[in-house]
Amino acid sequence: MLRDFYVDFHIHSCLSPCAEITMTPAVIGKRLQEIGIDWISITDHNSAGNVRTFSKVLKSLGIEVIPGIEVHTVEDVHILGFFESIEAAEAYSSWLYKFIPDVKVDPEKFGYQLYVNEDDEFTAMEEKWLGQPTSLKLNKAIDSILEFGGIYVYSHIERKMGIVYQLGFVPGAKNNSEIVEISQKNTFDKFNDLQHMSVIHSSDAHSPQELKKVMRLKAKRRNFSEFKECLLNQKRVELLWD
Amino acid sequence: MLLKELIDRCGFRIITASNLNEEIKDGYIGDLLSDVMGNAPADSIWLTVQSHVNILAVASITGIKAILLCNGLSYEEETIEKAKENDITLLETEKSSFHASLALFEAGLR
């Protein structure tokens, strides 16, 4: 039996330097409940450090979380990595940390990077700048996500830090297996190459007011295998635009 | 050479002018943030086609004083706001990075 779920698989928490510090579990959870979203992913820049907390808090509100991360490659391309378990996402995050140059930036100028606990309290601040490119090349980033048992999606391909914007094309997009995220209906209507790819749409929210219904999935239940199945089977995905 | 002299001689458009009396000693051309972070000299002008807000963090880290956006591109609002806060001058030009660097060279920057 397939059920309808409202989802958003690209949301930044207060750990992302460019996100508002109000992107905490309680605030996001409340907003998701208000608008009726029940399945999400937390995808911070170059870190899965807040995934565990969000998973616990949101689960208690009836919202399921796919553990995720948004990797910034050396080519200035963003890709989303999604993992089967919190442990896998955290293991990947620790591995990735070594590839983030040891560059610190002033949080007053470039945004705070905050770890949060289940009571919405900030527990620590990440010192390394998470908004910078890792030293991983795109191919290596993709391979590494796969090695940790994850799947990858090209973020907002038509915007800055998106693969088409940065490189002009999606490598390997003719083999039907690539999943891409589109930001705007406008681009979705115009993009000729999209017929070869699986397309998702996300909010890429950096503040609570940016959260909105972006997709409806038809799934048996909210787990990783159904998540993968839906992303690869466009018949089970309905993109929702403003 | 002072930044304001360079701008005068090259005719670049000023988008934010935070530090026009700073001395510019060098230049760098690059569109990969990681490359610029690793290689751009301090007190330089950076020629690029990147306009994302992250360029300001790169400029702050390396000590780049001014960013010149080439090819007739324009900055996002967010980038302009942050540049004012961070005392980094933002410039625009219709020229390509190559021709803009020639202009800087002819203006006396070596």
Side-chain angles (χ1 to χ4, degrees):
Chain A
M1 254 283 280
L2 294 176
R3 284 174 53 198
D4 279 351
F5 294 102
Y6 286 96
V7 308
D8 184 355
F9 296 128
H10 187 166
I11 297 174
H12 290 271
S13 85
C14 48
L15 182 55
S16 291
C18 41
E20 286 185 7
I21 61 169
T22 53
M23 291 297 268
T24 60
V27 174
I28 290 181
K30 182 163 177 279
R31 177 84 184 126
L32 293 174
Q33 282 185 313
E34 279 167 9
I35 50 186
I37 294 177
D38 45 25
W39 197 7
I40 67 148
S41 181
I42 294 294
T43 49
D44 283 311
H45 293 292
N46 293 332
S47 175
N50 269 348
V51 163
R52 181 175 291 273
T53 304
F54 273 84
S55 299
K56 275 193 193 161
V57 174
L58 295 186
K59 194 174 182 68
S60 73
L61 302 173
I63 300 163
E64 287 293 329
V65 176
I66 297 283
I69 193 166
E70 185 168 37
V71 181
H72 188 152
T73 75
V74 79
E75 298 90 347
D76 283 321
V77 171
H78 285 176
I79 56 172
L80 297 166
F82 298 106
F83 299 91
E84 183 150 20
S85 65
I86 296 168
E87 288 73 23
E90 287 176 342
Y92 183 77
S93 186
S94 310
W95 177 82
L96 184 70
Y97 197 77
K98 300 190 295 265
F99 297 92
I100 306 172
D102 198 11
V103 168
K104 297 170 176 63
V105 287
D106 181 352
E108 282 292 328
K109 292 179 175 174
F110 296 102
Y112 282 85
Q113 307 180 136
L114 300 166
Y115 294 98
V116 66
N117 69 15
E118 290 164 47
D119 299 318
D120 249 33
E121 296 160 341
F122 299 128
T123 53
M125 200 165 79
E126 176 54 50
E127 297 275 332
K128 268 194 199 180
W129 181 31
L130 297 174
Q132 63 178 315
T134 62
S135 58
L136 284 185
K137 289 184 181 167
L138 183 60
N139 281 351
K140 177 76 175 155
I142 287 173
D143 288 347
S144 61
I145 290 170
L146 297 174
E147 276 164 28
F148 279 79
I151 63 168
Y152 66 94
V153 171
Y154 290 107
S155 307
H156 41 74
I157 61 168
E158 82 277 38
R159 280 200 290 118
K160 285 205 160 62
M161 307 296 174
I163 187 140
V164 173
Y165 187 96
Q166 301 296 130
L167 303 185
F169 61 97
V170 182
K174 300 291 180 195
N175 67 10
N176 262 350
S177 64
E178 299 294 339
I179 310 172
V180 300
E181 179 191 82
I182 290 280
S183 298
Q184 289 156 4
K185 173 126 193 3
N186 192 22
T187 348
F188 177 69
D189 290 340
K190 275 193 294 197
F191 238 112
N192 294 327
D193 272 354
L194 288 179
Q195 54 194 315
H196 301 289
M197 299 178 246
S198 299
V199 181
I200 69 166
H201 173 48
S202 319
S203 72
D204 191 7
H206 286 70
S207 63
Q209 60 271 23
E210 287 171 335
L211 292 165
K212 60 188 174 188
K213 281 181 174 167
V214 284
M215 282 203 294
R216 182 162 57 200
L217 296 192
K218 291 194 178 302
K220 289 188 198 115
R221 58 186 72 83
R222 292 170 293 174
N223 62 20
F224 190 68
S225 70
E226 278 294 291
F227 165 78
K228 272 202 298 196
E229 187 67 28
C230 285
L231 262 50
L232 289 166
N233 180 353
Q234 294 285 286
K235 287 192 188 121
R236 291 170 65 174
V237 177
E238 185 188 348
L239 309 180
L240 308 172
W241 307 98
D242 292 333
Chain B
M1 186 175 296
L2 293 184
L3 179 53
K4 63 179 177 190
E5 291 177 83
L6 271 182
I7 296 169
D8 275 350
R9 293 186 197 179
C10 298
F12 301 141
R13 276 196 304 282
I14 297 175
I15 307 303
T16 67
S18 310
N19 51 358
L20 294 183
N21 288 314
E22 296 258 16
E23 179 82 13
I24 299 294
K25 296 181 180 150
D26 209 335
Y28 197 76
I29 304 178
D31 302 316
L32 271 187
L33 302 188
S34 51
D35 171 70
V36 178
M37 265 167 36
N39 299 305
D43 302 322
S44 61
I45 178 167
W46 170 21
L47 282 58
T48 185
V49 293
Q50 286 270 24
S51 56
H52 188 267
V53 67
N54 277 8
I55 60 176
L56 294 167
V58 170
S60 288
I61 289 160
T62 52
I64 286 168
K65 293 286 195 287
I67 304 172
L68 174 61
L69 187 61
C70 302
N71 279 357
L73 296 166
S74 48
Y75 293 101
E76 286 99 281
E77 271 311 307
E78 192 189 358
T79 306
I80 296 170
E81 287 310 308
K82 276 267 164 75
K84 289 177 189 159
E85 291 169 24
N86 290 284
D87 289 335
I88 291 161
T89 291
L90 297 183
L91 306 165
E92 292 177 355
T93 179
E94 302 303 317
K95 292 182 164 77
S96 69
S97 300
F98 175 72
H99 287 286
S101 73
L102 274 182
L104 286 165
F105 189 81
E106 282 164 5
L109 186 68
R110 299 286 186 273

